[in-house]
Amino acid sequence: MAAGAQADTAADVAAHSDVWVFVEQHDGEVAKVAWELLGKGRDLADQKDEDLVALVMGEGVRESGIPDEAIARGADRVLVADDPIFEPYRADPYGEQFRHLVEERKPDIAMIGGTHTGRDFAGRVAVPTHAGLTADTTELEITDERYEMRRPAFGGDALATIICPNHRPQMSTVRPGVFDTPDPDESREGEIEGVDVVVSEDDTRSEVLEREVGDVADITDAEVVVAGGMGLEGDFDPLWELADLLGGEVAATREAVEEGWIEPARQVGQTGKTVRPKLYIAVGISGAIQHVEGMDDSETVIAINNDPNAPIFENADYGIVEDYAEVMPELLELLREELG
Ligand code: FAD
C-alpha cells in the first residue's frame, strides 16, 4: 500500500473489473511486448470472467489498424485516445490520461510493458490512484482466486510474489519477452471506443525539442541470437559476423558484460533480458541457471563449449564440444559460401 493510503473498502475493490493492457506504439509501430501482454491478459480475463481491454494512445491511432489488431490478438474492447498531444511520447500526458481512465472506468488489473516508456509513466498512474505497482514482473497468475505478480528480488537471488489485496487496479510493468505472442485471429470481434482526451498542452510541463534515436540493441525482438560468454575471452568479433550473416543480434552473459566486452543492453538472463528467438547460439557459455532463465524458451539452441560437462548442453538441442576458436572460422566460412 502506498504510504499514508488507506485500504479501499471491499465495495470499492469489488467495483473494479476487467483486465487492461497498454498497447504501446511509437509512430504507428507497436512494441512487441504489448501483444505478449494481450496473450497473457486473455488467459487472466478468461479465468476471472472479465473483459480484456486494450488501451491505445497516439496521434492517428484510431485509423491506424492498431485497434483492430488488438482485437485480433485477444482484446474484447479497445479504448483509443487519439490526439497530437500523445506524439511523440511524453510521460505527463500519457500518465494523466491513463490515470483519468483508471479512475473513470475502474479496471481490476492493469499491465504495462516494462519498456523505457512503460517504466517512465506507470508510476504516474499508480501513485495518485494508490494502486500497487509491481515493476519488472516476470510471472503473473491467479492462484486460488488471488492475483499474484512475481518478480526477481535481491538482485535475482529470490523470486518475490507480490499481491495487492486492498487497492485497484493491480498494476504491473512486465518484462518484455516472458510471454508468448498470440497469433492474430482476424475473425475475432470486439468494440473500439474513442475516449475523451482530458490532457492539454497547458497542463503539460515537458516539450520535445529534438529526438535522437541511438543504436540501442533490442535483442528481445531478434529471431536469431548469438550469445557469448567468458570462454571467448573477449573475442566477440566472430559472433558479430555470425549474427550479421544470420540477420540476428549479439548477446552475452553477465560476466561478459561485466568485463566490458559488450553493452549491458545485450545481457541475457535473470538480471538481463529474456529472449525467445527461433535460434539461440551459445558460445563459450557455461549455462548457469541465471543465464538459462533468460533463454530457455528459445525454439532451437546450439551450444559450443569445450567442456562436455558444461550445463548449457542440458538446455541445447545441438551441442558442439570443441574450442570455439576451431569451430567459428569453419562455421563462418560455410555460411559465407551458403549465404554470402
Ligand atoms: P563461465 O561460467 O565462466 O563459463 C565459461 C564457459 O566457457 C565454460 O563452460 C567453459 O567450459 C567455456 N569455455 C572456456 N574456453 C572455451 C573455448 N575456448 N571454447 C569454448 N568454450 C570455452 N548471468 C547471466 O548470464 N545473466 C544474468 O542475468 C545473471 N544474473 C545473475 C544474478 C545473480 C543474483 C547471480 C548471483 C548471478 C547471475 N549471473 C547471471 C551470473 C551467472 O551465475 C554466471 O556466473 C554467468 O552466467 C557465467 O557466465 P559465463 O557462462 O560467461 O562464464
Side-chain angles (χ1 to χ4, degrees), residues 154-157 228-233 252-256 267-273 283-292 304-307 310-311 322-325:
F154 300 114
D157 281 345
M230 292 302 283
L232 296 177
E233 295 181 356
T253 61
R254 186 168 89 168
E255 310 294 312
Q267 182 187 320
V268 169
Q270 201 177 65
T271 44
K273 301 253 170 76
V283 191
I285 291 177
S286 60
I289 181 74
Q290 295 90 352
H291 182 78
V292 168
I304 303 170
N305 194 306
N306 60 2
D307 174 5
E322 183 61 271
D323 186 335
Y324 87 90

Side-chain angles (χ1 to χ4, degrees), residues 16-252:
H16 287 70
S17 174
D18 296 338
V19 176
W20 279 24
V21 167
F22 172 63
V23 175
E24 176 181 338
Q25 67 80 38
H26 301 279
D27 298 325
E29 198 169 319
V30 176
K32 189 165 159 272
V33 64
W35 303 144
E36 296 163 6
L37 294 188
L38 280 178
K40 185 66 193 175
R42 186 67 266 160
D43 293 346
L44 296 171
D46 287 344
Q47 283 180 67
K48 301 206 79 173
D49 202 17
E50 294 180 351
D51 275 358
L52 177 62
V53 179
L55 172 57
V56 186
M57 294 191 213
E59 181 180 11
V61 281
R62 185 79 164 85
E63 304 303 326
S64 66
I66 294 172
D68 304 279
E69 187 165 357
I71 291 169
R73 293 195 190 255
D76 299 304
R77 285 185 287 129
V78 185
L79 305 180
V80 182
D82 195 329
D83 195 275
I85 199 165
F86 298 120
E87 213 78 56
Y89 164 79
R90 283 172 295 170
D92 24 8
Y94 269 64
E96 183 54 18
Q97 179 72 37
F98 202 127
R99 180 203 61 76
H100 165 78
L101 288 169
V102 160
E103 288 182 350
E104 185 185 73
R105 313 278 178 124
K106 302 190 186 315
D108 175 13
I109 289 172
M111 293 186 273
I112 298 170
T115 58
H116 293 297
T117 297
R119 288 189 311 219
D120 191 37
F121 83 83
R124 290 175 180 258
V125 183
V127 172
T129 56
H130 301 306
L133 174 62
T134 305
D136 195 29
T137 314
T138 53
E139 290 177 28
L140 294 166
E141 62 181 41
I142 295 165
T143 312
D144 297 331
E145 298 191 6
R146 191 171 76 170
Y147 181 54
E148 297 184 342
M149 300 169 271
R150 285 189 244 291
R151 55 151 299 154
F154 300 114
D157 281 345
L159 202 57
T161 296
I162 295 171
I163 59 167
C164 180
N166 299 326
H167 291 274
R168 294 293 181 268
Q170 304 169 91
M171 272 183 76
S172 43
T173 54
V174 183
R175 189 187 288 195
V178 295
F179 297 123
D180 282 329
T181 310
D183 287 330
D185 171 0
E186 308 298 342
S187 69
R188 288 196 84 261
E189 288 183 4
E191 238 175 72
I192 300 173
E193 177 190 343
V195 298
D196 289 340
V197 172
V198 296
V199 289
S200 70
E201 284 297 344
D202 289 344
D203 321 313
T204 301
R205 281 171 293 184
S206 55
E207 187 185 349
V208 177
L209 299 178
E210 198 182 336
R211 273 200 299 171
E212 251 183 61
V213 181
D215 181 20
V216 183
D218 189 1
I219 57 170
T220 59
D221 265 354
E223 295 204 336
V224 176
V225 173
V226 186
M230 292 302 283
L232 296 177
E233 295 181 356
D235 179 20
F236 269 73
D237 286 353
L239 270 61
W240 287 106
E241 187 176 351
L242 183 57
D244 198 31
L245 282 166
L246 298 175
E249 286 288 351
V250 177

